[in-house]
Amino acid sequence: MMENGMRYAVLIDADNVAAKYTKNILDELSNYGVVTYKRVYGDWTRPNLAGWKNMALDNAITPVQQYSYTSGKNATDSAMIIDAMDILYSHNVDGFCIVSSDSDFTRLAIRLRESGMHVIGMGEKKTPKPFSTACNAFKYLEVLAEEETAEGAVADKVAMKTLESAIIRIITENANLQEEINIGELGSRLQGRYPDFDVRNYGYSKFSQFLKDFDCLSFRQVGSSILVSQKSAKTDLAKVENVLEAIVRSNGTKGYNLGELKKQLCTKIPDFDVKTYGYSKFSRFVENLPDFRIRNNTVMMVEE
């Protein structure tokens, strides 16, 4: 999120956005800063835009009339783009909110960002990817209005694996010497890679709650900060030792054959790999566990 002192111009494409989303748009934008320009564009002679008239009046949004000069051509887009550039050169705002599901605004978003503007896009889930990724952040109107469809929910679940991989990459690339990253930094970098990312897409209200559903992550509180790291097999070393002890003790005081012990361990913990712990051989790994010793290729417990 940006500081509340940021000034934004919100430009709404009435041809592509329903009036019912007005409150959601303005409420969401209030999280980023102050709205200094509020304009909605369309041909108000068309009956299908009637819903916007009262909504614009109630929310102090300036309706901009734009006739369709030629059939099949979208004059509204041109009017929004021209106004956006006029506002840009007025130097009265710090960012823009472009509300449309039309990919024609992709180049505008890119141009505004090139000029140092913070660009927030808003549109329905049908919005083409080029427009959503051209923005600093992109918000889906259905999510803001809490009207997710079953189809959207399925798509979100599929995307979770992609996000999990991205989170792990970000931690690996940007973690400190302890292989941890501040949760705020992680959120910012994830938003940078996926401008349309929003935890509300997945049914969460907080980023921390969203992350805690990933089994591959660990969390550590330091003062008021939360540090996030990737769980490694080292985290489960105690589990490995407990399984080894149970296997060895199952054979009484006779001990357990080293090769057979490894097979049994891998059966119980399929993802076990000695390389995770810095060893190339299973025997070296076992020898360095304080409760075990190897004699004549047989693993024994060290009794106190």
Side-chain angles (χ1 to χ4, degrees), residues 5-289:
M6 296 278 284
R7 300 167 300 170
Y8 283 86
V10 56
L11 308 180
I12 304 171
D13 178 6
D15 291 337
N16 276 286
V17 174
K20 65 180 180 179
Y21 292 122
T22 304
K23 184 178 184 302
N24 306 115
I25 294 167
L26 297 178
D27 285 350
E28 178 65 17
L29 199 52
S30 69
N31 294 325
Y32 288 84
V34 178
V35 179
T36 54
Y37 290 83
K38 291 189 287 186
R39 297 179 183 176
V40 58
Y41 299 76
D43 183 354
W44 306 111
T45 63
R46 295 168 55 190
N48 65 312
L49 296 186
W52 268 109
K53 294 180 181 179
N54 288 335
M55 197 62 74
L57 180 63
D58 293 343
N59 292 277
I61 303 174
T62 302
V64 179
Q65 170 64 32
Q66 183 57 56
Y67 292 104
S68 299
Y69 298 117
T70 305
S71 178
K73 298 294 183 181
N74 196 339
T76 298
D77 293 4
S78 299
M80 285 180 62
I81 292 170
I82 291 170
D83 275 10
M85 298 310 294
D86 285 344
I87 295 170
L88 171 66
Y89 291 122
S90 73
H91 304 293
N92 290 327
V93 297
D94 305 297
F96 285 80
C97 178
I98 307 298
V99 187
S100 178
S101 302
D102 192 338
S103 62
D104 288 348
F105 293 104
T106 301
R107 186 68 187 95
L108 174 62
I110 294 171
R111 178 65 181 82
L112 293 173
R113 290 185 66 180
E114 289 173 346
S115 296
M117 295 288 105
H118 186 259
V119 180
I120 302 168
M122 296 189 191
E124 295 180 344
K125 288 190 174 182
K126 65 181 181 181
T127 303
K129 198 71 173 176
F131 177 37
S132 64
T133 54
C135 303
N136 292 99
F138 194 90
K139 307 298 179 180
Y140 290 114
L141 295 173
E142 298 98 327
V143 175
L144 297 182
E146 298 181 348
E147 293 179 357
E148 292 181 88
T149 62
E151 181 181 347
V154 172
D156 290 340
K157 290 179 181 178
V158 173
M160 287 289 280
K161 290 303 295 181
T162 301
L163 288 173
E164 181 178 351
S165 298
I167 289 169
I168 291 173
R169 283 200 307 273
I170 291 170
I171 293 174
T172 302
E173 294 167 2
N174 302 283
N176 59 25
L177 293 176
Q178 292 179 291
E179 299 181 348
E180 298 171 313
I181 187 172
N182 184 278
I183 194 170
E185 178 72 9
L186 176 58
S188 296
R189 291 186 178 277
L190 190 61
Q191 181 87 68
R193 295 191 184 203
Y194 300 99
D196 58 351
F197 170 74
D198 189 321
V199 294
R200 289 170 295 190
N201 293 0
Y202 306 88
Y204 297 87
S205 59
K206 295 182 178 179
F207 184 53
S208 58
Q209 295 172 341
F210 170 76
L211 289 180
K212 287 179 179 178
D213 254 10
F214 289 96
D215 294 332
C216 63
L217 301 178
S218 293
F219 304 88
R220 186 166 70 95
Q221 185 88 33
V222 179
S224 59
S225 299
I226 298 176
L227 300 178
V228 186
S229 60
Q230 180 186 0
K231 280 184 182 177
S232 68
K234 288 185 179 180
T235 306
D236 299 321
L237 180 58
K239 176 182 175 182
V240 172
E241 289 183 284
N242 288 337
V243 172
L244 284 174
E245 180 177 353
I247 297 172
V248 173
R249 289 193 184 281
S250 69
N251 209 26
T253 59
K254 299 177 182 178
Y256 218 94
N257 177 269
L258 181 64
E260 187 62 28
L261 179 61
K262 182 179 180 182
K263 290 180 182 178
Q264 291 293 327
L265 178 62
C266 291
T267 298
K268 296 180 181 296
I269 306 179
D271 59 351
F272 173 77
D273 188 341
V274 293
K275 293 179 181 177
T276 304
Y277 304 89
Y279 298 94
S280 59
K281 294 182 178 181
F282 181 63
S283 58
R284 294 291 299 164
F285 168 73
V286 175
E287 284 175 349
N288 281 276
L289 295 175

